[in-house]
Amino acid sequence: MKRLIITIVMMFLLHANVAYAGSTGSENLKKSPSSSADECFEGFSRAMFSFNQAVDAIIFEPVAKGYRVLPMVVRNGTSNVMGNISNLLTIPNNILQGDFAEAGNTVARLAINTTVGILGFFDPAEKMGFPKKDKEDYGQTLGVWGTGSGCYFVLPILGPTTARDFAGTVINI
């Protein structure tokens, strides 16, 4: 039983990291002819981009290759569980954005998939008429409230963001 729990936890962690894997390096930042107002930390961003490329090649790409070996049912299940967990962030953001119908849909999906769908491993809510919708976060909510995007920069491991989305990420955490 302990081994099963460890395996499931590792799959969740692997699934969360797959998004960063498989980069070919063709995304290298191009030197801009002039510094734009939105790129406040260009030197820092370039250093973090290079760091992220190295981490991707050393850690995330091998992890992703290992993850791809897992059976499709396991990969779909972990994806469903992570999506189900993300509903906990989407619900308050739907409400803060004034989208109460979407909040209701997301609450129903969370309740159904957590119970009938065995903690979200399966997605019976889709079959019951509660479609998947876009995820909402606090960065998007700040945008709906009129906050400008602010400076663009690249974070270690997390990748590119803006000042508004970084503030939203801090709130999300």
Side-chain angles (χ1 to χ4, degrees):
M1 187 64 174
K2 183 178 180 182
R3 208 173 213 181
L4 177 64
I5 292 171
I6 290 172
T7 302
I8 290 171
V9 168
M10 288 304 295
M11 292 211 222
F12 292 139
L13 294 173
L14 291 174
H15 178 72
N17 290 322
V18 167
Y20 299 108
S23 174
T24 63
S26 63
E27 303 86 2
N28 287 334
L29 293 174
K30 304 290 186 252
K31 189 78 171 167
S32 59
S34 64
S35 183
S36 67
D38 293 331
E39 180 66 55
C40 301
F41 309 106
E42 187 170 354
F44 174 79
S45 292
R46 288 182 182 283
M48 287 304 103
F49 184 83
S50 296
F51 171 78
N52 288 345
Q53 289 290 100
V55 169
D56 176 63
I58 295 169
I59 297 173
F60 295 126
E61 189 172 359
V63 168
K65 286 179 181 178
Y67 181 77
R68 288 183 200 124
V69 173
L70 295 173
M72 199 61 178
V73 69
V74 173
R75 294 187 339 216
N76 286 339
T78 57
S79 177
N80 289 343
V81 169
M82 297 306 288
N84 194 49
I85 291 170
S86 73
N87 286 332
L88 293 171
L89 284 175
T90 299
I91 294 166
N93 283 289
N94 285 140
I95 294 168
L96 291 170
Q97 293 174 25
D99 196 351
F100 300 107
E102 285 300 317
N105 181 68
T106 307
V107 167
R109 285 187 57 76
L110 178 66
I112 292 167
N113 288 341
T114 300
T115 56
V116 179
I118 308 171
L119 299 176
F121 196 80
F122 302 103
D123 188 8
E126 182 86 33
K127 293 175 181 65
M128 297 173 80
F130 298 99
K132 286 184 181 178
K133 300 291 182 170
D134 292 332
K135 293 174 178 57
E136 301 291 333
D137 61 37
Y138 289 101
Q140 292 168 313
T141 298
L142 291 171
V144 168
W145 289 354
T147 305
S149 62
C151 294
Y152 169 87
F153 54 98
V154 179
L155 293 170
I157 308 297
L158 299 177
T161 191
T162 62
R164 178 186 68 210
D165 287 339
F166 178 67
T169 300
V170 170
I171 298 169
N172 287 339
I173 291 171

